[in-house]
Amino acid sequence: MKVVATRPELRAGRAGLTGDVAVVMTMGALHAGHAALLRRARAEAGSLLLTVFVNPLQFGPAEDLDRYPRTLEADLELARAEGVDLVFAPSREVMYPGGDPAVRVDPGPLGSVLEGASRPGFFHGVLTVVNKLFQLTRPDLAYFGEKDYQQLGLIRAMVRDFDLPIDVRGVPTVREPDGLARSSRNRYLAPAEREAALVLHRALRAAAEAGSVEAGLAEYALVPEVKLDYLVLTDPMLGPAPEHGPARLLTAAWVGGTRLIDNLGVRLNGPVGEQS
Ligand code: PAF
């Protein structure tokens, strides 16, 4: 496995990759969710490229950019174990040599609801760095987690709207045995917060079983220390909820100083399941 940090090194490393090249983009602090992305990509592609970059553009001024976990040595160990061929771990100066970019990708209307409404500028930052990393790594395939469901939808939309020749594949959320979705931010949670955070998954399950958000809101009401941001039922493209058929439940909440998100695929008036 080669580890590179500059554009010339990346160009040389990329030239040595064979077959279909898959990229998995991350901000590091890798966990079992990232491992699932890498494993799926490893199984489906000829070469596997991992990017590790904590992208300042997608953090608001009051958010956790400074304390976001940076664990490169452990990340490289996991990458090696998952058969990664090439790791690109650039500095901020390498990614944004002229300072933060003035031109950014506009996520459009889908970028201004849910996460976009609560975190203004977030999806501009995500799509801008994903677009840059697509240009720099030139993958055939790209794997993103369904845990960030709105992000996945917006990346698919960008690839479609910008005619990028990349096959974007979603990978189901990986959960702890008690249901908590794997997230790099889980490591911020104190034990009591970790317990309280289970309400996100409980609320999604309750809403899925009832086919409406009210049952999920009732779960949140039992854990007042968790501050709900949203719990919504939508169609799979995040439009208005359908009467029946495939739909998506999405939630975000503050557990102490940590903001967590989660979502679940459901079939209204049909069997419940974690479907994509
Ligand atoms: O999902 C993430 O970790 C980030 O938003 C991504 C896609 C790596 C862009 O910084």
Side-chain angles (χ1 to χ4, degrees):
M1 183 177 85
K2 259 195 207 139
V3 182
V4 300
T6 66
R7 287 161 190 252
E9 287 170 346
L10 173 61
R11 257 194 305 278
R14 172 67 181 81
L17 299 180
T18 54
D20 278 350
V21 173
V23 71
V24 172
M25 296 180 187
T26 74
M27 298 206 299
L30 303 187
H31 51 66
H34 297 111
L37 297 177
L38 292 170
R39 213 161 294 159
R40 171 94 180 271
R42 181 70 279 172
E44 295 177 358
S47 299
L48 179 50
L49 203 166
L50 168 71
T51 70
V52 178
F53 177 61
V54 181
N55 174 36
L57 296 191
Q58 67 190 76
F59 289 79
E63 292 186 357
D64 55 342
L65 174 61
D66 290 340
R67 71 169 182 140
Y68 197 84
R70 286 155 173 92
T71 59
L72 187 60
E73 280 316 307
D75 295 345
L76 296 180
E77 226 168 87
L78 185 147
R80 235 172 250 118
E82 296 300 339
V84 170
D85 298 300
L86 180 62
V87 179
F88 179 49
S91 64
R92 184 173 187 161
E93 291 69 34
V94 166
M95 275 308 285
Y96 302 122
D100 289 353
V103 176
R104 301 191 187 196
V105 177
D106 181 347
L110 182 57
S112 61
V113 298
L114 304 176
E115 287 306 285
S118 295
R119 305 180 67 189
F122 171 64
F123 286 123
H124 292 77
V126 168
L127 293 187
T128 300
V129 81
V130 169
N131 200 357
K132 279 174 75 77
L133 288 168
F134 278 156
Q135 308 303 328
L136 291 168
T137 61
R138 293 182 295 104
D140 302 292
L141 305 163
Y143 292 79
F144 294 92
E146 289 180 356
K147 154 82 168 29
D148 297 297
Y149 189 77
Q150 190 177 5
Q151 167 176 284
L152 173 61
L154 280 162
I155 291 169
R156 286 191 199 285
M158 177 175 73
V159 163
R160 182 197 62 217
D161 292 349
F162 288 5
D163 292 305
L164 302 179
I166 299 164
D167 182 350
V168 173
R169 299 185 178 173
V171 177
T173 301
V174 176
R175 298 182 180 283
E176 303 276 5
D178 59 9
L180 184 68
R182 291 291 196 133
S183 162
S184 301
R185 290 188 167 98
N186 289 351
R187 64 184 78 196
Y188 296 153
L189 300 170
E193 293 173 336
R194 166 77 183 62
E195 188 59 32
L198 295 175
V199 70
L200 275 82
H201 187 235
R202 272 204 308 276
L204 290 171
R205 296 290 310 178
E209 272 154 34
S212 79
V213 295
E214 278 69 29
L217 295 175
E219 289 292 332
Y220 271 112
L222 296 173
V223 191
E225 66 269 32
V226 173
K227 301 288 169 236
L228 176 65
D229 183 346
Y230 59 77
L231 172 64
V232 294
L233 180 63
T234 70
D235 76 7
M237 310 299 288
L238 301 181
E243 301 246 310
H244 49 78
R248 204 86 195 175
L249 280 158
L250 302 104
T251 193
W254 284 94
V255 184
T258 305
R259 189 166 181 284
L260 298 176
I261 60 172
D262 199 354
N263 69 88
L264 205 57
V266 292
R267 180 167 290 279
L268 298 177
N269 302 320
V272 172
E274 189 147 1
Q275 318 149 355
S276 34

